[in-house]
Amino acid sequence: MNKRFLALSLSLVMAVNVFCSCGKKDDDSSNIVLETKSTTVATTAVVEEPEPDLSTEEWLDMHPQEIQIRNICELATLEVYFHSVAKAVKPASSGLTGVGQEDRRFWFEYSGSAKIGIDMSRVVITITDDSVNILIPHASIIGGLNIDSSSYDYNSVIMEPDSSSFYTANNISASDVTAAVGRANEAITEEISSDNVLMMRAETRAVELIRKYIEQISEYSNVNYEFTWGYIEE
């Protein structure tokens, strides 16, 4: 497998962060063990949509619209950025193939991001003459993790010298590295999803932007819309 193909395969599965131990299988990249993590996290709000440039008459005719509320949910996302340095271990094979083999470590790092927000397709909206009620799901990762392809190069992977015997080398293959970063992907997804503070920030942001939208329409249309919200029962 040449380096160009390897780099491409890695860029498709790389992600960021926490690592967990996995079971062993002979002659299979699934025996890779992820031992450590080192991650920096920063968040920023996605730029809000500018207010519409409407005439006085157009504002007076305005009323809350479901499509606008769904658009706000889509816009009200947080961007989470990561940089991770990880250590993985390829254990010696078991059985006869592992005679003379030693565990072998390798290190790699990369950067990535994820969008946290409300799934607008699941929002339930009820609009009456003078009230707007929305039910939202809890925030989640929208669209999966995104890896900065420029932050990772297979040639930058650091591999521990192989101390195994000459005839039973513990080679770290392309699939071994791919498996390691793939498990990192699964782990960071789980960590983000369980970060209640981060999820609450995204939920609050969506609700407050919708509230602002309703208040603007109330101010210009002379209709005092009541805004209420809650969570969808999971």
Side-chain angles (χ1 to χ4, degrees):
M1 182 180 297
N2 60 42
K3 293 182 179 179
R4 180 176 299 177
F5 180 82
L6 175 59
L8 176 59
S9 66
L10 289 173
S11 67
L12 293 175
V13 296
M14 286 186 307
V16 195
N17 204 344
V18 184
F19 305 112
C20 57
S21 296
C22 302
K24 296 184 180 180
K25 289 185 180 180
D26 292 343
D27 304 319
D28 190 335
S29 61
S30 63
N31 65 356
I32 297 298
V33 177
L34 294 163
E35 290 192 336
T36 62
K37 65 165 185 174
S38 176
T39 304
T40 301
V41 179
T43 61
T44 183
V46 174
V47 176
E48 298 177 20
E49 186 179 44
E51 294 181 16
D53 183 14
L54 301 176
S55 66
T56 301
E57 292 76 13
E58 289 172 324
W59 272 114
L60 289 172
D61 290 336
M62 283 287 287
H63 58 275
Q65 299 178 26
E66 179 173 333
I67 189 171
Q68 291 295 338
I69 293 174
R70 294 191 185 279
N71 286 340
I72 290 170
C73 289
E74 185 174 22
L75 288 168
T77 56
L78 298 176
E79 196 95 25
V80 183
Y81 297 94
F82 311 90
H83 180 77
S84 184
V85 179
K87 180 176 74 172
V89 178
K90 182 175 182 181
S93 299
S94 59
L96 293 177
T97 58
V99 175
Q101 272 194 3
E102 298 287 341
D103 292 353
R104 193 177 179 193
R105 279 154 284 277
F106 57 98
W107 294 262
F108 50 93
E109 62 180 305
Y110 44 83
S111 300
S113 65
K115 286 185 177 181
I116 312 301
I118 303 299
D119 181 352
M120 68 173 183
S121 67
R122 298 183 59 203
V123 176
V124 178
I125 303 170
T126 304
I127 302 174
T128 62
D129 292 339
D130 60 356
S131 68
V132 178
N133 176 263
I134 64 168
L135 297 175
I136 65 171
H138 287 287
S140 61
I141 298 174
I142 305 297
L145 300 177
N146 301 304
I147 299 304
D148 179 1
S149 59
S150 66
S151 71
Y152 187 86
D153 185 344
Y154 176 69
N155 293 325
S156 67
V157 175
I158 300 173
M159 301 182 185
E160 181 180 48
D162 191 2
S163 58
S164 304
S165 68
F166 178 78
Y167 295 103
T168 57
N170 189 3
N171 295 318
I172 297 172
S173 66
S175 60
D176 292 330
V177 179
T178 300
V181 295
R183 288 185 189 134
N185 186 356
E186 296 173 359
I188 185 55
T189 298
E190 176 62 28
E191 179 167 298
I192 293 175
S193 299
S194 62
D195 188 331
N196 294 329
V197 174
L198 183 60
M199 295 300 164
M200 181 63 72
R201 282 183 60 193
E203 293 161 7
T204 301
R205 176 174 167 76
V207 170
E208 290 309 309
L209 288 179
I210 294 171
R211 188 191 306 279
K212 178 181 177 182
Y213 166 70
I214 302 301
E215 289 175 349
Q216 285 178 329
I217 293 178
S218 294
E219 179 181 355
Y220 287 98
S221 66
N222 295 322
V223 178
N224 187 23
Y225 289 97
E226 180 185 6
F227 173 61
T228 57
W229 72 282
Y231 289 107
I232 295 173
E233 293 294 335
E234 299 290 349

